[in-house]
Amino acid sequence: MTEKTTRLSVFPLGGAILFPRMQLPLHIFEPRYRALVSDAMARDRRIGMIQPKAGGEPPPLFDIGCIGRIAHVEALEDGRYNIVLEGVSRFRVLRELDVTTPFRQLEVSLEGFEGDSDERALAIAERAALEIEARRFADVQGYAVDWEAVTRLDDESLVNGIAQIAPFDVAAKQALLEAPDIAARCELIVQLMQFFGRHHGGDDEGVTLQ
């Protein structure tokens, strides 16, 4: 491994993405991922969140994920965990490692994601367009939102927070994760919410890009 690459234990979970400086709560109950959390706590508290592309065992993985540091852990009596991951940096998969652990491990590269540590602010028009579309989207979905609290969020927290919790499918979530910067991610969120609003049929299937 070099300064630009690292060995990373990963948790493949469809529909769950993490961004730098954002938080992701997880309930860990499968034995292999309970082992993953135990191992991470004994080492550097890092877990790689990455989405599987499809079914299968093991399923193929997308090329880009995000490193999360365990910021909080609650160990339950039956061996399960409640954890909160705090995003550190996105990564790109180089290769899967041949390991004996029940969880998967990858060699990943952090190169190309240096900008994750310094996201720029949105233009006023970009922010306004996002908030307008978010209100429409929430109305269509029937969500109750504290809009006063939303207006107090900084641009990065607003964009990445919507990207993490919006009911989009795996492909859409991955596209948001892979967006090169916050402005591109904001634009894609607006497009996805507009598409969903036009095709909403009263069910919970969400947007699909597949």
Side-chain angles (χ1 to χ4, degrees), residues 133-144:
E133 203 56 50
R135 287 176 181 268
R136 291 175 181 165
F137 184 78
D139 287 343
V140 168
Q141 292 297 306
Y143 295 155

Side-chain angles (χ1 to χ4, degrees), residues 124-139:
I124 294 176
E126 292 171 328
R127 171 81 184 217
L130 178 61
E131 289 194 14
I132 290 171
E133 203 56 50
R135 287 176 181 268
R136 291 175 181 165
F137 184 78
D139 287 343

Side-chain angles (χ1 to χ4, degrees), residues 51-62 104:
Q51 295 198 119
K53 287 183 178 179
E57 188 57 43
L61 304 174
F62 280 102
R104 301 167 74 176

Side-chain angles (χ1 to χ4, degrees), residues 1-209:
M1 307 296 177
T2 69
E3 290 184 359
K4 292 292 186 179
T5 68
T6 187
R7 183 188 187 105
L8 191 64
S9 301
V10 295
F11 183 11
L13 184 59
I17 56 174
L18 176 65
F19 293 96
R21 292 173 298 283
M22 297 297 291
Q23 292 190 334
L24 179 66
L26 293 169
H27 177 63
I28 309 297
F29 58 91
E30 286 190 55
R32 57 182 162 176
Y33 298 124
R34 284 154 44 180
L36 169 59
V37 171
S38 296
D39 182 76
M41 291 300 296
R43 296 177 183 270
D44 55 11
R45 303 176 75 96
R46 299 190 313 166
I47 292 175
M49 292 301 301
I50 192 165
Q51 295 198 119
K53 287 183 178 179
E57 188 57 43
L61 304 174
F62 280 102
D63 293 333
I64 294 177
C66 184
I67 298 172
R69 181 183 178 276
I70 299 175
H72 173 77
V73 60
E74 177 189 10
L76 304 178
E77 291 184 359
D78 60 2
R80 293 174 296 137
Y81 291 99
N82 290 321
I83 66 172
V84 177
L85 291 181
E86 189 171 85
V88 177
S89 170
R90 288 182 294 172
F91 63 81
R92 185 181 304 276
V93 177
L94 297 178
R95 65 188 179 98
E96 182 153 4
L97 301 174
D98 185 12
V99 296
T100 58
T101 55
F103 48 86
R104 301 167 74 176
Q105 298 185 47
L106 308 174
E107 180 183 359
V108 305
S109 172
L110 308 182
E111 194 167 7
F113 300 113
E114 293 83 2
D116 284 357
S117 61
D118 186 29
E119 288 278 21
R120 74 170 180 84
L122 295 173
I124 294 176
E126 292 171 328
R127 171 81 184 217
L130 178 61
E131 289 194 14
I132 290 171
E133 203 56 50
R135 287 176 181 268
R136 291 175 181 165
F137 184 78
D139 287 343
V140 168
Q141 292 297 306
Y143 295 155
V145 179
D146 183 349
W147 293 112
E148 184 177 344
V150 168
T151 61
R152 293 196 295 268
L153 292 174
D154 61 76
D155 293 341
E156 183 184 39
S157 296
L158 177 61
V159 171
N160 292 344
I162 292 175
Q164 283 192 187
I165 67 173
F168 304 144
D169 77 340
V170 167
K173 292 275 191 178
Q174 190 65 27
L176 290 169
L177 181 64
E178 295 184 12
D181 55 39
I182 191 173
R185 190 170 299 129
C186 174
E187 181 179 2
L188 180 55
I189 288 172
V190 169
Q191 292 172 356
L192 288 168
M193 289 192 296
Q194 290 172 341
F195 177 84
F196 186 86
R198 290 196 301 269
H199 294 80
H200 179 67
D203 54 36
D204 296 323
E205 292 181 358
V207 175
T208 178
L209 293 185

